[in-house]
């Protein structure tokens, strides 16, 4: 009302972000689910009631009971314990692959947007080529070269995050490059490296963070799909996609073997997507006005 | 329009060139001797020498590439290691099942995605909007292969309504196309909603309302028509997603298509088939994007005359 006489309380960008983010109830709930999931993943060996690979042939394919909350699989292994251990694999694959892909993509995007010219042309055309392959196809091609296995899935899934981040960061870099504060930094003699990493990079981070969250969801889904078709984690690994593949033969006989791992994938990916939506709404000034 | 057409079509050529180069190099990126890989696991030294000779693997790389491209253009991708028949025949019989599945999935998911998106936008902030968007975000997060297994469990094993897999009659299309299309329907619903809301803010919509145009006409003619332009682009992009999704869904439902062939070939290390399939999938994807861009230009004069 009388904002011209009383100075408004100045909020830091981070404080401003928190204020917007905490209003997104669904996203906050998703974030809490993810924190709980990460804790479970880290402490899985202590939290899980059973050894995830210990077979018990007297107790195979039993439905959910008080002793085995999610039942047992064809080897009598406790499905609940396997899911808890599987969370370590899925979350690690998600974080590592997107981290790898985003760091590479951010650097390429910065170079591309900052220098322009032939560097820009080369990097952006390479991104076009990478995006010309549907994501999972690229991942399968990488696995055909490196061989099946969960480590290779990380690289395979990281590859198709690179062009996404490169394009995103290039766009923000182009608009920030002409900002007055960047000119000022250049005028006092800051080298290009400092201009890019200290002055432009932080400005690109809001959109990077939003994509980061969404890409983790996509990457976990893709990694699980690769394991499901037999190109990712190999038995007896308790990876969620691999568990679904194992349980396929017992559909109708012991549906819980596929029900719970599938639910775990769904809830995790859903949480990352909801978090991404919330972050976008909190960070994107264009949406705040409407 | 013609100059745009020529420009857009020629812009595809360098991408095609690089894609074909990458697919060609694929065999050389594998660890080991390419001739031994192509000759198969139980080849003799003589077989390997023959393969090296017939594929020209003793020639310089650029000559090999030229050979690869000229053969590929004529549909010659060599022999499948698994069945010892030409790759093009293996792929040929798998081609239509995948195309049909993709088209059916695309058709229903576009229609439902559009309807849910429009409903959510028109009823913004009400239960239809929340319901639609909850469905959409769940659809995006739902693993297609898990959905497939759940449906087989319910509709095939328990109720005996639909076959668990295979490729016979319309019944066999129901579950695979649903599993494949769900993600696309969800993306379309979200995208339609935001495109619709964006257009609905425009001045000419307010003008239409002020003139007394009925609400139904405003929604279906004025807003949706203009929102269709970005939506067409989105449909094209989703085709790539469907091609990728078909790999997983075909595995679940034992569908005799290209996706399952690719998975089997990777497991069997049938490199000539893998190579041909990756090239085919990529070309398909590039051409669909091209077609979409041209459609987009036809619908939007702004681009045509730039």
């Amino acid at each position: 009302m009388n904002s011209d006489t009383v100075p408004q309380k100045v909020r830091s960008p981070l404080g401003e972000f928190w204020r917007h983010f905490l209003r997104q109830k669904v996203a906050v709930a998703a974030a809490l689910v993810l924190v709980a999931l990460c804790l479970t993943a880290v402490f899985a060996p202590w939290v899980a009631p059973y050894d995830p690979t210990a077979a018990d042939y007297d107790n195979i394919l039993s439905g959910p009971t008080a002793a085995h909350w999610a039942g047992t699989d064809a080897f009598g292994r406790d499905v609940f314990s396997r899911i808890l251990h599987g969370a370590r694999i899925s979350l690690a694959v998600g974080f590592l692959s997107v981290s790898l892909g985003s760091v590479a993509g951010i650097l390429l995007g910065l170079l591309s947007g900052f220098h322009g010219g032939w560097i820009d042309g080369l990097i952006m055309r390479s991104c076009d080529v990478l995006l010309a392959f549907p994501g999972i196809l690229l991942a399968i091609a990488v696995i055909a070269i490196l061989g099946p296995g969960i480590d290779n899935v990380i690289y395979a899934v990281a590859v198709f995050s690179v062009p996404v981040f490169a394009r995103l960061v290039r766009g923000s870099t182009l608009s920030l490059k002409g900002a007055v504060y960047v000119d000022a930094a250049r005028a006092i003699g800051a080298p290009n490296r400092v201009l890019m990493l200290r002055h432009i990079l932080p400005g690109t981070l809001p959109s990077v963070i939003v994509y980061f969250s969404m890409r983790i969801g996509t990457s976990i889904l893709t990694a699980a799909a690769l394991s499901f078709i037999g190109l990712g984690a190999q038995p007896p690994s308790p990876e969620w996609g691999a568990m679904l593949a194992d349980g396929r033969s017992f559909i109708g006989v012991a549906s819980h073997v596929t029900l719970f791992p599938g639910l775990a994938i769904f809830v995790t990916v859903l949480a990352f997507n909801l978090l991404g939506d919330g972050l976008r709404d909190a960070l994107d000034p264009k949406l705040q006005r409407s | 329009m013609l100059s745009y057409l020529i420009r857009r079509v020629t812009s595809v050529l360098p991408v095609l060139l690089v894609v074909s180069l990458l697919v060609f190099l694929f065999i050389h990126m594998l660890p080991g001797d390419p001739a031994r890989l192509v000759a198969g696991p139980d080849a003799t030294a003589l077989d390997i020498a023959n393969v090296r000779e017939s594929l020209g693997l003793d020639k310089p790389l650029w000559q090999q590439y030229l050979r690869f491209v000229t053969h590929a253009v004529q549909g010659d991708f060599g022999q499948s290691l698994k069945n010892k028949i030409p790759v093009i025949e293996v792929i040929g019989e798998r081609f239509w099942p995948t195309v049909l599945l993709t088209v059916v999935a695309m058709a229903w998911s576009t229609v439902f995605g559009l309807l849910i998106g429009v409903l959510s936008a028109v009823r913004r902030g009400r239960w239809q909007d929340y319901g639609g968007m909850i469905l959409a975000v769940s659809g995006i997060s739902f693993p297609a292969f898990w959905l497939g297994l759940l449906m087989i469990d319910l509709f095939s094993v328990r109720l005996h309504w639909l076959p668990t897999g295979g490729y016979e009659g319309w019944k066999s299309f129901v579950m695979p196309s649903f599993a494949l299309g769900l993600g696309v329907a969800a993306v379309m619903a979200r995208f339609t909603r935001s495109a619709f809301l964006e257009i609905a803010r425009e001045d000419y919509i307010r003008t239409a309302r002020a003139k007394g145009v009925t609400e139904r006409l405003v929604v279906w003619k004025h807003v949706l028509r203009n929102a269709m332009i970005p939506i067409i682009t989105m449909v094209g992009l989703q085709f790539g997603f469907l091609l990728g999704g078909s790999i997983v869904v075909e595995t679940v439902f034992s569908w005799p298509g290209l996706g399952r062939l690719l998975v089997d070939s990777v497991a069997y290390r049938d490199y000539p088939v893998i190579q041909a399939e990756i090239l085919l999938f990529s070309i398909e994807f590039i051409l669909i994007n091209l077609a979409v861009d041209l459609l987009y230009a036809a619908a939007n004069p702004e681009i045509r005359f730039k």
Side-chain angles (χ1 to χ4, degrees), chain B:
Chain B
M1 182 68 196
L2 188 70
S3 79
Y4 175 78
L5 195 90
I6 294 170
R7 227 171 340 128
R8 187 62 186 82
V9 171
T10 45
S11 75
V12 168
L13 294 177
V15 179
L16 273 181
L17 195 77
V18 177
V19 168
S20 68
L21 189 65
L22 280 180
V23 172
F24 160 72
L25 286 175
F26 168 78
I27 282 279
H28 293 270
M29 284 189 270
L30 297 165
D33 174 10
R36 180 177 284 278
L37 292 174
V38 173
D42 34 53
T44 63
L46 186 68
D47 292 340
I48 294 171
N50 280 338
V51 166
R52 196 186 311 277
E53 166 93 49
S54 69
L55 287 184
L57 289 171
D58 40 0
K59 304 228 172 65
L61 218 51
W62 66 269
Q63 277 185 18
Q64 290 182 40
Y65 173 64
L66 278 184
R67 211 193 92 91
F68 172 74
V69 171
T70 45
H71 280 69
V73 170
Q74 296 163 31
D76 176 8
F77 293 96
Q79 285 224 325
S80 158
L81 300 181
K82 196 176 167 191
N83 327 334
K84 310 284 179 218
I85 54 173
V87 171
I88 194 74
E89 279 177 35
V90 180
I91 286 182
E93 64 190 38
R94 301 294 197 108
F95 184 73
W96 286 111
T98 294
V99 170
L100 282 177
L101 180 63
T102 315
V103 169
V104 172
M106 193 79 226
W108 83 258
S109 58
T110 307
V111 171
F112 276 82
L114 270 176
L115 287 177
I116 292 174
V118 170
L119 187 71
S120 293
V122 172
R123 301 271 166 202
R124 188 178 184 190
R126 287 191 242 175
W127 69 266
Q128 291 97 331
D129 185 18
Y130 292 118
M133 288 307 108
I134 288 171
L135 269 183
V137 76
S138 310
I140 290 174
S141 315
F142 220 100
F145 45 100
W146 184 46
L147 179 63
L149 295 179
L150 289 178
M151 284 194 294
I152 290 176
D153 193 336
L154 180 61
F155 296 112
S156 307
V157 178
R158 285 175 210 272
L159 297 171
H160 302 288
W161 286 354
L162 296 164
T164 56
Y167 175 61
E168 273 168 37
W170 65 271
K171 273 189 173 177
S172 65
F173 273 90
V174 177
M175 294 196 293
S177 67
F178 186 76
L180 185 55
L182 182 72
V184 174
V187 173
M188 290 303 300
R190 276 165 70 117
F191 189 78
T192 305
R193 178 179 179 272
S194 65
F196 197 95
L197 289 175
E198 198 133 299
I199 302 284
R201 270 205 293 267
E202 297 282 341
D203 288 340
Y204 58 81
I205 302 299
R206 196 185 317 136
T207 309
R209 284 218 174 87
K211 279 195 311 189
V213 177
T214 60
E215 191 58 28
R216 177 182 301 187
L217 215 62
V218 169
V219 167
W220 292 109
K221 195 168 162 209
H222 293 77
V223 183
L224 191 60
R225 229 197 206 174
N226 287 290
M228 275 322 279
I229 296 175
I231 290 171
I232 290 176
T233 318
M234 202 58 190
V235 171
L237 290 177
Q238 291 307 308
F239 254 108
F241 181 86
L242 283 184
L243 287 178
S246 70
I247 296 172
V248 174
V249 170
E250 287 181 6
T251 308
V252 176
F253 290 101
S254 316
W255 194 262
L258 293 172
R260 197 160 65 98
L261 177 65
L262 182 63
V263 175
D264 291 347
S265 308
V266 172
Y268 194 85
R269 297 173 187 269
D270 196 343
Y271 293 113
V273 178
I274 301 176
Q275 203 179 21
E277 275 224 61
I278 292 178
L279 188 65
L280 189 75
F281 267 125
S282 313
I283 291 177
E284 213 171 318
F285 191 51
I286 293 170
L287 291 183
I288 288 169
N289 278 329
L290 176 67
V292 167
D293 272 9
L294 295 180
L295 260 179
Y296 184 81
N300 188 357
E302 242 178 76
I303 303 229
R304 231 182 307 158
F305 295 115
K306 208 163 71 180

Side-chain angles (χ1 to χ4, degrees), chain A residues 5-183:
Chain A
T5 48
V6 183
Q8 276 191 327
K9 201 181 140 205
V10 179
R11 291 193 187 86
S12 71
L14 193 68
E16 188 78 358
F17 161 73
W18 267 117
R19 210 168 55 91
H20 284 291
F21 182 71
L22 290 177
R23 257 191 244 148
Q24 318 269 338
K25 299 227 163 46
V26 181
V28 172
L32 290 177
V33 168
L34 289 174
V35 169
L37 203 67
C38 290
L39 288 176
T40 327
V42 171
F43 296 107
W46 294 277
V47 179
Y50 297 90
D51 180 339
T53 49
D56 174 5
Y57 293 105
D58 297 329
N59 193 12
I60 61 167
L61 296 175
S62 102
T65 57
H68 298 279
W69 292 355
T72 58
D73 68 6
F75 296 94
R77 297 176 297 200
D78 181 51
V79 173
F80 182 65
S81 303
R82 287 176 67 74
I83 289 176
L84 294 186
H85 280 267
R88 310 186 111 188
I89 304 176
S90 287
L91 290 175
V93 170
F95 277 114
L96 287 175
S97 64
V98 180
S99 303
L100 267 177
S102 63
V103 168
I106 288 169
L107 292 178
L108 289 173
L110 277 175
L111 283 174
S112 192
F114 190 80
H115 287 293
W118 67 268
I119 297 182
D120 183 31
L122 181 73
I123 293 176
M124 280 304 116
R125 290 300 80 72
S126 314
C127 287
D128 286 349
V129 171
L130 279 184
L131 289 171
F133 294 94
I136 194 163
L137 187 66
L138 199 62
I140 290 179
V142 173
I143 286 175
I145 294 171
L146 298 177
I150 198 73
D151 302 345
N152 295 340
V153 165
I154 296 175
Y155 302 119
V157 177
V159 169
F160 72 86
S161 283
V162 175
V164 177
F165 284 101
R167 277 198 177 171
L168 188 73
V169 170
R170 174 182 179 265
S172 327
T173 305
L174 282 178
S175 62
L176 291 171
K177 191 164 70 163
V180 178
Y181 73 89
V182 176
D183 278 342

Side-chain angles (χ1 to χ4, degrees), chain A residues 94 97-98 135-136 157 160-161 211-225 265 268-270 272-273, chain B residues 140-141 241:
Chain A
S97 64
V98 180
I136 194 163
V157 177
F160 72 86
S161 283
Y211 263 77
F212 197 90
S213 171
M214 297 197 174
R215 290 304 299 184
I216 289 184
T218 316
S219 298
I220 289 179
L221 207 52
T222 312
I265 302 174
T268 309
V269 176
L270 183 66
F272 275 111
N273 283 335
Chain B
I140 290 174
S141 315
F241 181 86

